[in-house]
Amino acid sequence: MDQYFKQMDKVIKEKKTSARIRFMLQDVVDLRRSNWVPRRGDQGPKTIDQIHKEAQLEEHREQMKVQHALIAKKDRGGPHTPGRGVSPQDDGWNTVSKNRTYDGKLKFPKVLQFLSVICMYYLLSTLHQCYFPMFAFNLSPYRNSSSRERGERSDRADRGLDRRDDRERNRPQGAATRSFSRENEEQSWQREQSGSADPVRKVANMTDDRDRGMRRETACTPPPLQTATKPALTVEELTKKSKAIIEEYLHILDIKEALQCVNEINCPQLLFVFVQFGLESTLERNTITRENLGRLLHQLIKTGILLTEQYFKGLREILVVAEEMAIDIPHIWLYLSELITPMLHEGGIPMGHLFKEISKPLIPLGKAGDLLVCILTLLCKEMSHNKVGTMWRGAGLQWKDFLPEDVDVNKFVTEKNVMFTLAEASEKSKTKKMSSAELSRQLERLIQDKADSKRIIDWIEANLDEQQASSNMFVRVLMTCICQSAIICENPYKVNDEIINQRAKLLQKFLKDEQKELQALYALQALMVHMEQPANLLRMFFDTLYDEEVIKDDAFYKWESCKDPAEQQGKGVALKSVTGFFTWLRQADESDNS
């Protein structure tokens, strides 16, 4: 346990996680230091009985304060009127001398009694409206009203209800909901008064004319529209929220939670602040961070949480100063393209609309062409040059609209290697060979971005020639990346059959023969060795790959009997874990043959 808490202290001090997680860890550390005694007890909402008791206790305290004050005054000796002795005074109180015993039966002076009733009346009314505006609870401590008094107030309440019924019949249908809370408050008011004793009734009579005037005004004037929207956030408040959301997303990469957090801001007219802060805070960070933020903005547009005009407004705040920033950030056009390019994926913003909007502040500066070239170059790494060229021409884009008048368009596109935008490419653009590590990183990024199989195939065709795409190295990397994405990291490990089903056609395209299927099984065996042979995981993969017809019987049998020395690491443990699979497979083959 000490080791765990040392690690927790380290995480808190380094501040590499979100503030929310650090606070949660700090709570656990503090809880342990206090011998697991919670810092705060269970402080739930008060019950009605508690409020009744507190109200009565408060009333009793006030009465005792007044009584003690009067006793103290009499003990000090009050003014004495000659000739009248110690007879009862005008206010109804007897003068108590020091040598007399106080019997505890003194009465309030009339003025003090009247004022105390008024104070208690408004105190209880305020408490009632603050804590129970929608319910009709009787918080009055006076409960001994006569039946005649209750009848009088009931009649007045009935007359008020009749007037309200007439008003509701003449009111438009849409106003019925808004009047619901007002009705409950008025009914609560009437029920309170029905249980009041004489002192409260006197105070109510004093304010009765005012109440009737307010009711008449309410009957003539429709209640104001009650909106449930939260108060608008300031730019500073939204900036703080944006920082917390973006930093947490970049740390844990939970895009669903990030979308929910942005949606809960509920301030769509100011989301350009979120866009602007996100771009500024990641512009000088690494490529992966910029791509991840670009994918978040793409998903915000795709789900409709972020409006297109808000995206452009936030982006424009960066573009107008981009040329000046280039002095300190020489690669700013590449960095901006890494943030913008994900927006061209399916469900984002069409190329024509996107390019025209982001070029508006850059055309006067002569920098629009530089940014568009960087975006097109990155896009070609994800799909073929022909497809990108088709998107350009399909959007009706022309380079002359983005370049200064004195620039030769043909020379520009030739020097920038964007000839594919002018006409159909006569041959596939030359591609460089990728290492297995680079290939794995690119495929993992596409899979993490939930790219569909068509988009992955487009990327492979755009970046790998036919020889690379048919190599054993490529097959193994592709198989490993897909199987890793299908593992459910629970105890024990499980396989997400749905992911294998979604990627089945992608695997079938490149596992064209038995030899390629065998390479895929070797890759799966190596993955199990890397994961230290989780129990039953290889068997689940074999079942799923067989059911989805990704690997056929002959390839499984060939893998089982393989004696290649280069493929023996972990082979014994792997064979033992899939003994049941091969027993079932042979029985199935025998039944088919019979």
Side-chain angles (χ1 to χ4, degrees):
M1 292 294 291
D2 290 338
Q3 294 178 1
Y4 296 151
F5 278 85
K6 286 180 181 178
Q7 291 295 323
M8 292 165 68
D9 287 331
K10 184 178 179 182
V11 172
I12 295 169
K13 292 177 182 178
E14 291 179 352
K15 296 184 178 181
K16 293 184 178 180
T17 60
S18 65
R20 185 178 68 175
I21 293 177
R22 294 201 306 273
F23 291 152
M24 293 172 66
L25 293 176
Q26 186 65 53
D27 287 342
V28 177
V29 173
D30 293 342
L31 189 61
R32 189 189 188 212
R33 288 174 181 169
S34 61
N35 200 24
W36 306 105
V37 177
R39 182 175 56 184
R40 297 182 297 270
D42 183 13
Q43 298 179 350
K46 296 181 179 180
T47 64
I48 302 303
D49 291 337
Q50 288 176 330
I51 293 175
H52 287 330
K53 291 178 181 178
E54 289 179 2
Q56 294 175 357
L57 183 59
E58 184 64 25
E59 180 200 6
H60 180 67
R61 289 197 190 103
E62 293 298 327
Q63 292 178 359
M64 293 302 297
K65 286 180 182 178
V66 174
Q67 291 177 1
H68 287 312
L70 292 172
I71 293 172
K73 180 178 178 181
K74 296 300 181 180
D75 289 342
R76 288 194 299 268
H80 177 69
T81 304
R84 295 182 63 182
V86 291
S87 59
Q89 297 181 6
D90 296 338
D91 57 4
W93 285 82
N94 290 330
T95 302
V96 181
S97 63
K98 292 184 178 180
N99 16 354
R100 290 188 63 185
T101 304
Y102 169 59
D103 60 3
K105 298 182 180 180
L106 293 175
K107 299 181 180 179
F108 282 120
K110 295 179 181 179
V111 175
L112 293 177
Q113 180 183 14
F114 181 71
L115 292 176
S116 66
V117 169
I118 292 177
C119 292
M120 287 303 301
Y121 170 77
Y122 280 107
L123 173 63
L124 295 175
S125 177
T126 302
L127 287 173
H128 177 70
Q129 294 177 4
C130 290
Y131 292 98
F132 307 102
M134 294 294 292
F135 301 92
F137 294 126
N138 187 353
L139 301 182
S140 174
Y142 304 99
R143 301 179 181 275
N144 298 321
S145 60
S146 64
S147 59
R148 180 180 58 82
E149 292 170 348
R150 288 195 295 270
E152 290 175 357
R153 298 192 179 277
S154 178
D155 292 341
R156 187 159 59 248
D158 291 339
R159 289 195 297 272
L161 290 173
D162 292 339
R163 289 196 298 272
R164 188 161 52 249
D165 291 340
D166 294 338
R167 184 170 67 249
E168 290 300 323
R169 282 193 291 270
N170 298 324
R171 179 178 296 173
Q173 184 176 359
T177 303
R178 296 195 298 272
S179 65
F180 177 74
S181 61
R182 183 180 296 274
E183 286 183 19
N184 282 343
E185 291 179 6
E186 291 181 4
Q187 292 174 11
S188 174
W189 172 277
Q190 293 155 4
R191 281 194 292 270
E192 275 187 346
Q193 305 313 309
S194 66
S196 301
D198 288 346
V200 178
R201 184 168 180 264
K202 293 178 181 178
V203 176
N205 289 336
M206 293 174 60
T207 59
D208 198 49
D209 293 337
R210 186 192 63 182
D211 292 343
R212 284 196 293 271
M214 292 176 62
R215 291 193 189 97
R216 285 195 297 270
E217 183 180 353
T218 303
C220 300
T221 306
L225 179 62
Q226 300 292 331
T227 58
T229 57
K230 298 179 181 178
L233 296 174
T234 64
V235 173
E236 291 76 13
E237 292 171 338
L238 187 53
T239 300
K240 291 180 181 179
K241 287 181 175 289
S242 301
K243 180 179 180 181
I245 294 171
I246 290 172
E247 289 303 322
E248 182 175 357
Y249 162 70
L250 293 176
H251 181 71
I252 63 177
L253 294 180
D254 189 339
I255 199 164
K256 290 183 178 179
E257 182 177 353
L259 293 176
Q260 182 178 353
C261 290
V262 177
N263 190 39
E264 289 174 354
I265 291 178
N266 195 23
C267 195
Q269 70 278 10
L270 285 181
L271 282 186
F272 73 91
V273 176
F274 180 89
V275 177
Q276 180 182 351
F277 178 83
L279 297 174
E280 289 177 347
S281 62
T282 58
L283 188 59
E284 296 186 74
R285 297 169 77 167
N286 57 55
T287 297
I288 296 177
T289 298
R290 288 188 289 271
E291 291 175 347
N292 285 332
L293 181 70
R295 284 194 284 272
L296 173 60
L297 295 176
H298 167 260
Q299 287 297 318
L300 287 170
I301 289 286
K302 185 176 181 179
T303 55
I305 298 173
L306 174 64
L307 300 178
T308 305
E309 55 267 24
Q310 290 291 308
Y311 172 75
F312 286 135
K313 185 176 181 180
L315 183 58
R316 195 178 300 114
E317 298 294 330
I318 306 297
L319 295 177
V320 293
V321 295
E323 187 179 26
E324 299 176 6
M325 297 172 66
I327 299 174
D328 299 321
I329 312 174
H331 299 293
I332 188 170
W333 307 117
L334 173 61
Y335 298 165
L336 284 171
S337 65
E338 290 172 345
L339 289 162
I340 296 172
T341 301
M343 195 59 69
L344 291 169
H345 295 162
E346 183 181 357
I349 302 175
M351 180 182 285
H353 189 196
L354 179 66
F355 281 8
K356 290 176 182 177
E357 287 294 330
I358 65 177
S359 297
K360 287 180 180 179
L362 299 178
I363 289 176
L365 306 175
K367 296 297 182 181
D370 294 337
L371 178 59
L372 298 189
V373 166
C374 290
I375 294 175
L376 292 172
T377 302
L378 288 179
L379 198 59
C380 285
K381 292 182 179 180
E382 301 180 4
M383 56 186 71
S384 66
H385 288 70
N386 285 341
K387 185 168 184 178
V388 176
T390 301
M391 292 172 63
W392 172 278
R393 293 186 295 275
L397 300 175
Q398 296 183 1
W399 282 107
K400 67 178 183 179
D401 297 331
F402 305 106
L403 300 176
E405 294 181 359
D406 58 345
V407 173
D408 187 315
V409 172
N410 290 325
K411 182 180 179 181
F412 177 85
V413 297
T414 302
E415 291 177 350
K416 300 297 185 180
N417 295 320
V418 288
M419 289 291 294
F420 56 85
T421 60
L422 299 182
E424 292 287 345
S426 57
E427 60 180 358
K428 182 176 290 186
S429 302
K430 294 182 179 179
T431 58
K432 63 177 182 179
K433 289 189 176 182
M434 289 187 183
S435 65
S436 60
E438 174 65 13
L439 180 59
S440 178
R441 190 182 77 84
Q442 294 292 344
L443 288 174
E444 285 177 356
R445 182 178 63 82
L446 289 168
I447 292 174
Q448 184 182 13
D449 195 25
K450 293 183 171 33
D452 57 22
S453 297
K454 184 178 182 303
R455 180 179 159 198
I456 295 177
I457 292 172
D458 287 341
W459 181 89
I460 293 171
E461 292 177 347
N463 293 273
L464 303 178
D465 57 25
E466 186 176 351
Q467 182 180 0
Q468 287 180 291
S470 60
S471 65
N472 291 340
M473 182 270 287
F474 167 74
V475 171
R476 291 194 180 206
V477 170
L478 179 65
M479 183 69 174
T480 301
C481 290
I482 292 176
C483 290
Q484 278 182 329
S485 69
I487 295 175
I488 300 175
C489 296
E490 296 178 351
N491 188 14
Y493 289 104
K494 298 178 183 177
V495 174
N496 189 334
D497 297 340
E498 184 178 350
I499 291 180
I500 299 298
N501 176 267
Q502 292 173 354
R503 304 298 184 187
K505 292 184 178 178
L506 175 61
L507 289 170
Q508 290 167 356
K509 178 177 176 61
F510 296 100
L511 305 184
K512 300 178 180 178
D513 51 38
E514 181 182 297
Q515 182 61 31
K516 293 293 184 292
E517 292 177 9
L518 183 59
Q519 292 296 323
L521 291 175
Y522 288 152
L524 190 55
Q525 174 186 324
L527 178 60
M528 296 298 105
V529 173
H530 177 72
M531 297 181 65
E532 299 181 353
Q533 302 285 4
N536 208 37
L537 184 61
L538 184 63
R539 167 65 190 270
M540 287 186 282
F541 268 118
F542 274 28
D543 288 338
T544 305
L545 292 169
Y546 182 85
D547 292 340
E548 298 297 335
E549 299 182 354
V550 175
I551 308 292
K552 302 178 182 62
D553 303 46
D554 293 340
F556 281 117
Y557 287 135
K558 194 167 186 178
W559 173 84
E560 181 188 28
S561 60
C562 174
K563 303 297 182 183
D564 186 348
E567 307 296 344
Q568 295 305 306
Q569 184 179 7
K571 182 66 177 294
V573 178
L575 279 173
K576 186 175 181 180
S577 66
V578 294
T579 300
F581 171 80
F582 282 103
T583 300
W584 170 83
L585 188 61
R586 288 188 176 89
Q587 291 175 350
D589 290 341
E590 290 173 0
S591 62
D592 291 341
N593 293 333
S594 61

